[in-house]
């Protein structure tokens, strides 16, 4: 791409520069970082001294710029660097994604209306909400929606199953419980199962964790699942009759089920073969009911049946051939880790010794052995051992001792699970290995280390230290591995039983046989296995259709950093997490669920604690609402480079942050606002329906203006006059008197600066209309209980006496400041700045607009405070300089 | 900011959470920001943020007449909050 001039900024100066250059036949690229062109002028009410409506005179300029055949406009884009290359300039530009297809978007705003995330509207000076999906303002050019995404929210980025955690949290906050359920279903049908038994890695990453505690993301999921299943027995997903190639899935655990869910939704006829009598894998067969009731898993599994997946239980598949003979085009092995690792110690085959998996499965599937009055020894330090020990207590055991190689701190089980087990009465013997098992218990040997120097599992023992622990029952939880022996003649299997696959395609050694889940990775978690199921479904779909699969997931923006999230607010009100309140008793004797669900009120409150880390929550409401199918969340930044002959800097100014004058109380007092906020209140596209004070919506009756806030003030480092505040205050005074005829307006000023054509007359007219101009320096403002404000000022006309007066709204006539954005384009110290950090004009008197870099010009307030007519004039000067430079160079070449 | 006055971002973020509460309360008649604040127990400036956000997205609307002490009243509009 190649242009004559790059114009940075599209306020009135930038637009004017671009249009003039375009009219002269030059090719212009105008780059604007906001989603609309127009700068600050389009947000004003009217302009002084003519009182023309600002948007009426801005919009034709905006239209002329965007439609100009010689002007290319890039919005939502930023210039990153500008370098001189062969006498020209090379600009690197990043175009941020709007996530909205501009060609398709009609600007109907339905996405914005449907969006579930509210943030302050920067185009209304933060006085009202806008949504994460938004159209900047009614006259925006282009009038296209944009989705504000700061990155992927930590919870969503962390979920191994790909669940859009932030999305369902924001839907619950809006009371859209069923939509929240549907959003989880987009990733996996295991909504209720994950809502109870997921280890919730999302919560460890939750930004609210840095404040009072994480958002209970998992329990909110349980709430939406319970709520759904209370009234509905179908997932609400409607599918066309399946067609195409048939797919067999072996194993109905989270991996197999989730893969089946996605493939069936893609239209494939899917059959699941499950060896056991009950479908659901470990969640249905082994995870104890006090954590995960069987009915919950059954409800989740039923979602699959409802969409037509054929689940055949009690059918064990031992080889691939059987399936290919039945005409399946692809096979997925999701056989989990259903075999137990043996201890290899004497006595392991005695009758009173049982594997944890067999024990838990018997318990969960209703064949509960009685352990009444028995002393039980559980071997192992992981979560399965803990589940076994706690189940044994519930079966009436007299005592349950858990023996593990590791110290308590190093046990692989989650520390909260260990704590709960201990509270229920499980005793721990840490740092012991098993030497042998006998009829009356186990012989322990001291374990001195579990890992070797390379960090591999290789326990070391001290045979001199031994101990006998008595026990009537021994349950061994020494690890799990896939039951893959019978498959070894067909697919390649590792010595530990895990199936070998290509890490990218999940293909085994047979082209149409894929494997996934714990069968490949070894024991993991429900969420990880579900994520593995999604990946397998994508790979199978891709392989069958010989085309990229949409199931592969969309490109995601990088995870947003917690510090960046927390820095968005100056302070946080305390919102304590809802207590976990698990019903833990000593020696529980039944399998009743120990964790209560959240009530509706608790779920709403908890979702209200979410910080909207990524801003957009990916709830997908906008996508559903958009009639033009214009929204695509998978877009990423585009980087481009362009060559130009000349650059015009029109990056404008920043407003003085009024909280830097703490004595005026901005940000603390409810009814102290800035001049820009008053302009918004007076504009036709205002945040409220009329001029109201923000503290309580009262129509103000007695308004004060404090002039020179942040200007002509060495205490804030700005001795300059901002030139515009006197006149915009006069303009606002006249407009207020039109809008609120009964209101009194007082202006506290040192002097009025009215240095333009017709300005002095305008000021006199303001005074004639009734504005009370007080020569006074305001020392401080104090807020009263009713929200009114006491203004204390030095009365210049009465020998500096301190006076007080009461107002119901105070407007701070804030001044302008340089925009430091401009400094980074050219690298450190290359662009000359003046003493006040505005872009320096090297010859302001004779060559306005000229900077210290030949070919680079400055237009408008980037060079210092100016009003609109002056900015336009200045832009004309910069354009003339740029043209002279370009033509001069061309003549020389 | 002063303790007691919450960060604007935080107040605005909560608007979806408050919609139903506010609409339920307005079901028995239009009310001013101060009246809503008194009944629900949230600060009036926060109610103003929520009402104006709800107004923007179609949940409430203002009644055209101003009360004697200079306040507008707000009523439920067509869109229903969950
Ligand atoms: C006691 C216990 C507690 C756990 N607690 C949690 C928890 O709270 N949270 C968590 O996130 N994770 C937990 N896990 C881990 C989690 O359950 C697993 O990571 C997950 O179930 C693995 O899913 P999968 O589909 O790969 O395998 P599985 O769930 O093991 O499913 C495999 C299925 O394939 C069937 N199958 C095997 N071979 C054949 C064959 N030849 N023919 C037909 N069918 C066959 C099996 O019967 C089984 O139903 C726990 C695991 C256990 C054992
Ligand atoms: S995905 Fe949800 S939160 Fe994000 S912009 Fe769309 S509606 Fe708003
Ligand atoms: S604060 Fe909200 S968006 Fe951020 S990680 Fe927690 S739940 Fe997710
Ligand atoms: S709903 Fe679609 S067409 Fe309408 S504004 Fe949003 S993106 Fe554009």
């Amino acid at each position: 791409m190649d242009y004559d001039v790059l114009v940075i900024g599209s306020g009135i100066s930038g637009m004017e520069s671009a249009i003039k250059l375009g009219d002269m036949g030059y090719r212009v690229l105008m780059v604007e970082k906001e989603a609309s062109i127009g700068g600050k002028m389009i947000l004003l009410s009217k302009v002084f001294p003519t009182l023309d409506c600002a948007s009426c005179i801005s919009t034709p300029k905006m239209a002329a710029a965007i439609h100009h055949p010689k002007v290319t406009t890039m919005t939502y884009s930023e210039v990153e660097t500008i370098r001189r290359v062969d006498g020209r300039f090379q600009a690197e530009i990043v175009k941020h994604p709007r996530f909205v297809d501009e060609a398709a978007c009609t600007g109907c705003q339905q996405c914005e209306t449907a969006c579930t995330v509210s943030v302050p509207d920067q185009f209304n000076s933060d006085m009202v909400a806008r949504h994460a999906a938004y159209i900047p303002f009614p006259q925006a050019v282009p009038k296209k929606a944009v989705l504000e995404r700061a990155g992927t929210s930590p919870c969503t980025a962390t979920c191994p199953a790909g669940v859009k955690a932030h999305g369902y949290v924001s839907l619950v906050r809006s009371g859209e419980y069923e939509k929240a359920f549907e959003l989880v279903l987009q990733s996996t049908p295991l909504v209720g199962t994950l809502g109870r038994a997921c280890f919730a890695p999302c919560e460890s990453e939750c930004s609210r964790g840095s404040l009072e505690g994480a958002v209970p993301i998992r329990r909110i999921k349980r709430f939406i699942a319970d709520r759904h299943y209370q009234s509905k027995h179908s997932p609400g997903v409607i599918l066309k009759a399946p067609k195409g190639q048939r797919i067999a899935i072996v194993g109905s655990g989270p991996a197999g089920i989730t893969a089946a869910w996605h493939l069936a939704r893609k239209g494939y006829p899917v059959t699941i073969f499950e060896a056991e009598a009950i479908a659901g894998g470990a969640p249905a067969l082994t995870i104890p009911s006090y954590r995960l009731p069987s009915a919950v898993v059954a409800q989740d599994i039923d979602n699959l049946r409802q969409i037509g997946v054929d689940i055949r239980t009690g059918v064990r598949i031992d080889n691939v051939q059987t399936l290919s003979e039945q005409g399946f085009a692809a096979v997925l092995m999701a056989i989990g880790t259903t075999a137990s690792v043996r201890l290899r110690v004497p006595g392991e085959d005695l009758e009173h010794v049982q594997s944890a998996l067999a024990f838990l499965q018997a318990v969960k599937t209703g064949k509960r052995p009685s352990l009444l009055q028995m002393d039980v020894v559980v071997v192992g330090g992981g979560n399965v051992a803990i589940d076994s020990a706690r189940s044994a207590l519930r079966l009436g055991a007299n005592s349950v001792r858990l023996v593990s190689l590791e110290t308590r701190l190093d046990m692989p089980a989650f520390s909260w699970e260990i704590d709960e087990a201990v509270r229920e009465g499980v005793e721990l013997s840490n740092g012991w290995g098993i030497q042998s098992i006998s009829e009356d218990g186990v012989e322990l040997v001291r374990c001195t280390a579990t890992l070797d120097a390379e960090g591999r599992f290789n326990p070391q023992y001290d045979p001199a230290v031994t101990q006998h622990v008595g026990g009537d029952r021994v349950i061994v939880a020494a690890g799990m591995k896939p039951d893959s022996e019978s498959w070894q003649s067909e697919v390649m299997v590792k010595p530990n039983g895990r199936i070998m696959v290509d890490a990218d395609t999940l293909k085994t050694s047979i082209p149409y046989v894929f494997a996934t889940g714990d069968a490949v990775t070894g024991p993991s978690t429900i969420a990880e296995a579900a994520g593995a199921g999604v990946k397998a479904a994508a790979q199978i779909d891709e392989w069958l259709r010989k085309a990229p699969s949409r199931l592969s997931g969309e490109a995601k923006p990088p995870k947003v950093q917690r510090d960046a999230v927390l820095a968005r607010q100056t302070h946080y009100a305390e919102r304590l997490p809802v207590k976990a309140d698990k019903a833990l008793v000593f020696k529980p004797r039944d399998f009743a669920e120990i964790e209560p669900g959240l009530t509706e009120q608790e779920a709403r409150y908890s979702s209200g604690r979410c910080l909207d880390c990524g801003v957009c929550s990916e709830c997908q409401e906008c996508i559903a609402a958009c009639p033009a199918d214009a929204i695509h969340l998978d877009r990423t930044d585009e980087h481009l480079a362009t060559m130009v002959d000349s650059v015009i800097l029109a990056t404008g100014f920043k407003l003085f942050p009024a909280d830097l004058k703490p004595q005026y109380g901005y940000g603390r007092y409810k009814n102290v606002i800035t001049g820009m906020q008053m302009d918004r209140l007076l504009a036709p596209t205002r945040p409220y329906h009329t001029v109201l004070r923000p503290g309580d919506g009262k129509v103000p009756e007695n308004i004060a203006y404090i002039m020179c806030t942040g200007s002509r003030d060495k205490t804030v480092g700005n001795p300059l006059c901002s030139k515009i505040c006197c006149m915009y205050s006069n303009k606002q005074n006249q407009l207020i008197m039109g809008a609120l005829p009964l209101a009194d307006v007082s202006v506290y000023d040192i002097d009025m600066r009215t240095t333009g054509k017709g300005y002095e007359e305008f000021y006199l007219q303001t005074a004639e209309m009734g504005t009370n101009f007080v020569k006074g320096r305001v020392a401080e403002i104090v807020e009263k209980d009713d929200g009114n404000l006491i203004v204390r000022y030095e009365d210049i006309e009465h020998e500096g006496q301190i006076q007080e007066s009461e107002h119901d709204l105070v407007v701070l006539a804030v001044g302008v400041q340089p925009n430091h954005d401009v400094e980074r384009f050219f690298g450190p110290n290359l662009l000359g700045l003046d003493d006040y950090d505005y872009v320096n004009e090297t010859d302001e008197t004779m060559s306005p607009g000229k900077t210290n870099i030949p070919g680079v010009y400055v237009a408008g307030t980037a060079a210092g405070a100016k009003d609109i007519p002056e900015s336009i004039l200045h832009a004309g000067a910069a354009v003339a300089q740029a043209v002279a430079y370009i033509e001069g160079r061309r003549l020389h070449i | 900011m002063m303790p007691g006055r919450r960060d604007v971002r935080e107040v605005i973020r909560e608007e979806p959470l408050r919609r139903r509460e506010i609409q339920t309360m307005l079901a028995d008649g239009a009310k001013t920001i101060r009246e809503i604040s008194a009944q629900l127990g949230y600060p009036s400036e926060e109610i103003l943020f929520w009402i104006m956000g709800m107004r923007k997205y179609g949940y409430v609307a203002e009644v055209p007449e101003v009360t004697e002490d200079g306040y507008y009243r707000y009523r439920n509009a067509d869109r229903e909050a969950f």
Side-chain angles (χ1 to χ4, degrees):
Chain A
M1 272 197 307
D2 201 310
Y3 297 92
D4 296 315
V5 185
L6 168 68
V7 175
I8 310 178
S10 72
I12 189 63
S13 311
M15 288 192 297
E16 180 66 17
S17 305
I19 294 167
K20 283 286 172 301
L21 285 162
D23 287 350
M24 288 187 249
Y26 294 96
R27 291 160 308 147
V28 181
L29 175 65
M30 181 165 71
V31 178
E32 166 60 51
K33 72 174 185 204
E34 292 292 350
S36 168
I37 59 170
K40 294 189 192 60
M41 180 177 168
I42 182 67
L43 303 174
L44 301 178
S45 51
K46 300 202 172 187
V47 296
F48 58 79
T50 54
L51 292 189
D52 287 320
C53 147
S55 52
C56 309
I57 55 177
S58 267
T59 35
K61 273 257 189 272
M62 291 159 78
I66 201 115
H67 296 305
H68 203 296
K70 290 283 180 184
V71 179
T72 303
T73 305
M74 285 174 69
T75 51
Y76 222 46
S77 303
E78 285 180 84
V79 173
E80 293 193 303
T81 55
I82 303 175
R83 286 187 302 136
R84 202 183 268 286
V85 177
D86 298 336
R88 302 184 77 205
F89 295 99
Q90 186 186 46
E92 311 265 345
I93 301 168
V94 53
K95 187 169 172 47
H96 300 302
R98 281 176 175 265
F99 303 101
V100 168
D101 176 351
E102 285 191 43
C105 173
T106 59
C108 69
Q109 223 170 345
Q110 294 193 39
C111 52
E112 178 167 358
T113 307
C115 178
T116 58
V117 171
S118 293
V119 293
D121 179 2
Q122 73 271 39
F123 297 104
N124 265 312
S125 302
D126 292 356
M127 282 191 290
V128 69
R130 68 158 167 84
H131 287 168
Y134 68 108
I135 291 192
F137 41 86
Q139 320 86 331
V141 173
K143 194 169 177 187
K144 307 286 178 188
V146 50
L147 269 52
E148 184 182 351
R149 297 184 74 188
T152 303
S153 297
C155 49
T156 302
T158 311
C159 177
V163 173
K164 296 193 175 4
H166 181 195
Y168 75 73
V169 170
S170 79
L171 283 161
V172 169
R173 181 176 55 199
S174 294
E176 299 275 15
Y177 310 135
E178 192 53 27
K179 286 181 176 166
F181 181 83
E182 286 162 18
L183 186 67
V184 183
L185 274 188
Q186 284 191 16
S187 304
T188 172
L190 296 169
V191 195
T193 301
L194 285 169
R196 283 171 168 85
C198 182
F199 294 125
C202 52
E203 292 182 17
S204 318
E205 291 297 310
C206 174
S207 304
R208 190 102 211 179
S210 293
L211 303 170
E212 323 82 340
V215 173
I217 307 171
R218 172 181 62 77
R219 292 176 77 200
I220 293 174
K221 192 185 307 101
R222 170 175 167 180
F223 166 78
I224 53 186
D226 289 357
R227 185 106 184 171
H228 171 88
Y229 292 128
Q230 256 166 32
S231 56
K232 296 196 176 60
H233 302 289
S234 114
V237 177
I238 297 159
L239 296 180
K240 288 188 235 140
K243 60 177 180 349
Q245 293 148 298
R246 291 165 64 222
I247 298 167
I249 295 182
V250 185
S252 68
I257 279 174
T258 304
W261 176 251
H262 287 283
L263 289 166
R265 286 172 58 140
K266 278 242 108 195
Y268 295 103
V270 180
T271 308
I272 299 182
F273 297 95
E274 168 57 55
E276 299 295 334
I278 300 168
L285 297 169
T286 39
I287 301 181
S289 301
Y290 64 85
R291 294 207 286 128
L292 178 60
S294 302
V296 173
V297 187
Q299 281 167 330
D300 286 345
I301 304 282
D302 218 35
N303 290 327
L304 276 106
R305 295 205 176 88
Q306 301 269 354
I307 63 164
V309 174
D310 181 9
I311 305 178
R312 300 195 194 159
T313 50
V315 183
R316 189 182 166 85
I317 302 292
D318 283 318
N319 54 60
V320 176
Q321 207 184 337
T322 351
L323 297 172
S324 65
E325 278 165 10
Q326 290 180 43
F328 289 102
V331 174
L332 175 64
M333 294 174 67
I335 59 174
T337 49
T338 54
S340 301
V341 173
R342 289 171 61 84
L343 282 173
R344 297 179 204 282
V345 296
E348 194 174 1
D349 294 320
L350 288 170
E351 215 173 306
H352 68 296
V353 184
Q354 198 179 13
S355 80
L357 285 182
F359 169 70
L360 289 171
Q361 185 161 339
V363 175
K364 181 114 184 192
T365 53
K367 289 167 242 132
R368 289 183 187 167
S370 169
L371 300 180
L372 221 55
Q373 299 308 322
M374 288 191 188
D375 294 320
V376 177
V377 177
V378 176
V379 181
N383 293 320
V384 178
I386 298 279
D387 282 345
S388 305
R390 295 175 77 178
S391 296
L393 277 181
R394 287 168 167 79
L395 293 171
N398 179 45
S399 76
V400 177
R401 173 162 299 278
L402 191 142
V403 179
S404 85
L405 292 170
E406 300 86 1
T407 62
R408 178 161 172 176
L409 268 182
D410 290 337
M411 279 170 71
F414 288 106
S415 65
W416 53 266
E417 281 213 307
I418 306 171
D419 292 344
E420 286 179 13
V422 170
R423 281 175 64 191
E424 288 186 344
V426 173
E427 296 162 60
L428 303 179
S429 288
N430 290 106
W432 294 100
I434 308 295
Q435 209 164 33
S436 63
I437 306 177
S438 57
E439 292 291 350
D440 66 344
V442 291
E443 302 307 320
L444 307 184
V445 55
R446 175 56 82 200
C447 173
T448 52
T450 50
L451 306 178
D452 62 19
E454 272 91 56
R456 278 177 310 219
F457 181 71
N458 185 10
Q460 306 295 312
Y461 301 101
D462 178 356
V465 188
T466 59
Q467 191 193 143
H468 174 83
V469 171
D472 311 302
R473 253 320 159 89
V474 180
I475 299 169
V476 180
M480 301 175 297
K481 58 182 190 171
D483 182 2
S484 55
E485 246 178 68
S486 67
W487 300 77
Q488 286 186 6
S489 57
E490 290 174 312
V491 298
M492 282 168 70
V493 170
K494 292 183 188 167
N496 59 8
R498 295 182 196 165
I499 299 164
M500 282 170 75
V501 293
D502 176 291
D504 294 324
T505 63
L506 301 182
K507 273 189 192 165
T508 63
S509 41
I510 305 176
Y512 62 91
V513 179
F514 299 74
T516 200
D518 289 9
V520 171
T521 59
S524 70
T525 63
I526 303 174
E528 283 167 291
V534 181
K535 183 169 175 198
Q539 289 304 322
I540 293 172
D541 182 39
E542 213 159 299
W543 182 72
L544 286 176
R545 290 191 309 115
K546 314 227 170 333
S549 173
R550 285 181 74 174
L551 292 173
S552 300
E554 60 214 15
K556 274 187 184 304
K559 180 167 102 173
V560 60
Q561 293 303 309
R562 187 183 281 211
D563 289 349
V565 172
L566 295 173
R568 290 181 196 146
Q569 282 179 219
T570 53
H571 65 290
Y572 289 84
E574 188 177 64
R575 291 285 182 272
L576 293 173
V578 170
K579 285 228 171 64
D581 270 345
K582 284 193 185 170
L584 293 180
V585 293
F586 186 69
K587 295 211 171 159
R589 293 306 190 209
D590 65 35
F591 282 81
E593 222 180 337
I594 52 175
E595 186 182 60
L598 295 173
T599 62
E600 182 182 6
Q601 206 186 357
E602 287 171 334
R604 278 306 270 278
Y605 165 83
S606 299
S607 58
R609 295 177 64 239
C610 168
L611 299 172
D612 290 330
C613 299
V615 185
C616 159
S617 71
E618 300 180 66
C619 74
Q620 322 251 335
E621 284 298 280
C622 54
I623 298 175
C626 175
D629 201 10
I631 300 175
H632 306 283
L633 293 181
D634 60 353
R635 301 290 140 94
T636 47
D637 276 352
E638 274 175 59
H639 293 268
L640 25 117
T642 184
M643 294 299 294
V644 296
D645 290 319
S646 175
V647 178
I648 292 187
L649 305 169
T651 45
F653 65 97
K654 291 253 190 261
L655 282 163
F656 173 75
D659 50 356
L660 293 186
K661 293 288 288 176
Q663 58 271 50
Y664 296 166
Y666 181 77
R668 282 183 296 136
Y669 301 157
K670 301 179 273 283
N671 295 316
V672 175
I673 64 172
T674 65
M676 187 65 203
Q677 289 181 314
M678 179 54 96
D679 240 293
R680 289 305 306 144
L681 287 176
L682 290 161
T685 55
R686 56 188 150 228
Y688 313 156
H689 47 99
T690 181
V691 179
L692 302 172
R693 65 176 195 171
D696 59 1
K698 179 173 179 262
V699 179
E701 291 168 359
N702 189 353
I703 306 171
Y705 272 75
I706 315 291
M707 304 310 297
C708 296
T709 305
S711 314
R712 303 165 72 189
D713 184 349
K714 289 202 179 115
T715 66
V716 295
N718 182 24
L720 299 179
C721 167
S722 290
K723 286 179 155 181
I724 55 170
C725 341
C726 286
M727 287 305 292
Y728 79 58
S729 301
N730 273 284
K731 168 194 77 179
Q732 291 180 2
N733 297 167
Q734 294 202 14
L735 296 177
I736 288 169
M737 283 179 269
L740 311 172
L742 300 179
D744 293 326
V745 183
S746 303
V747 174
Y748 297 86
D749 66 289
I750 312 170
D751 53 21
M752 269 290 141
R753 299 212 164 162
T754 52
T755 54
K757 189 169 143 197
Y759 289 11
E760 181 67 10
E761 293 73 7
F762 190 74
Y763 159 56
L764 294 174
Q765 189 181 22
T766 312
E768 267 166 34
M769 286 171 76
T771 297
N772 173 28
F773 286 92
V774 182
K775 292 277 161 275
R777 249 184 229 108
V778 175
E780 96 176 306
I781 300 176
V782 178
E783 186 181 54
K784 288 178 58 193
D785 284 348
D786 62 0
N788 282 359
L789 300 142
I790 306 292
V791 173
R792 277 202 193 112
Y793 63 100
E794 200 184 318
D795 192 340
I796 297 172
E797 285 176 347
H798 296 93
E799 289 151 4
Q801 281 175 21
I802 299 296
Q803 305 273 14
E804 282 189 356
S805 57
E806 183 168 338
H807 300 273
D808 55 8
L809 180 66
V810 169
V811 182
L812 303 178
V814 288
V816 305
Q817 287 202 326
N819 179 359
H820 291 282
D821 271 10
V822 76
E823 293 164 26
R824 58 181 170 81
F825 301 144
F826 298 94
N829 305 324
L830 284 178
L831 179 70
L833 302 179
D834 67 16
D835 293 347
Y836 309 101
D837 285 352
Y838 290 100
V839 178
N840 192 34
E841 292 170 273
T842 47
D843 187 3
E844 199 177 341
T845 325
M846 303 306 285
S847 304
K850 208 168 171 179
T851 72
N852 66 318
I853 305 176
V856 177
Y857 303 95
V858 59
T861 52
K866 286 174 189 58
D867 60 19
I868 294 167
E870 244 191 303
S871 298
I872 294 177
L873 215 63
H874 197 247
V879 165
Q881 298 282 353
V883 170
Y885 171 82
I886 294 170
E887 294 306 325
R889 253 191 95 238
R890 286 178 188 169
L891 275 178
H892 280 92
I893 294 166
Chain B
M1 294 215 181
M2 196 167 68
R5 191 168 181 207
R6 292 203 291 154
D7 195 285
V8 167
R9 197 175 181 94
E10 181 171 287
V11 176
I12 285 180
R13 189 167 56 232
E14 270 176 23
E15 183 227 305
L17 197 62
R18 303 289 171 218
R19 285 180 199 146
R20 190 168 65 180
E21 216 173 337
I22 292 176
Q23 278 200 331
T24 309
M25 214 203 69
L26 293 180
D28 54 304
K31 292 183 182 58
T32 66
I33 301 284
R34 276 190 174 266
E35 286 162 352
I36 302 171
S37 162
Q39 283 200 30
L40 292 184
Y42 304 113
S44 56
E45 58 172 312
E46 299 192 1
I47 300 285
L48 183 108
F49 274 117
W50 299 333
I51 285 287
M52 291 307 160
M54 289 173 71
R55 180 185 169 273
K56 183 167 171 184
Y57 294 111
Y59 297 98
V60 298
E62 65 280 6
V63 176
E65 305 81 38
V66 194
T67 61
E68 262 181 24
D69 40 359
Y71 291 90
Y72 282 90
R73 286 177 304 131
Y74 301 86
R75 59 170 176 82
N76 283 334
D78 293 342
R79 191 170 177 198
E80 210 179 310
F82 293 100

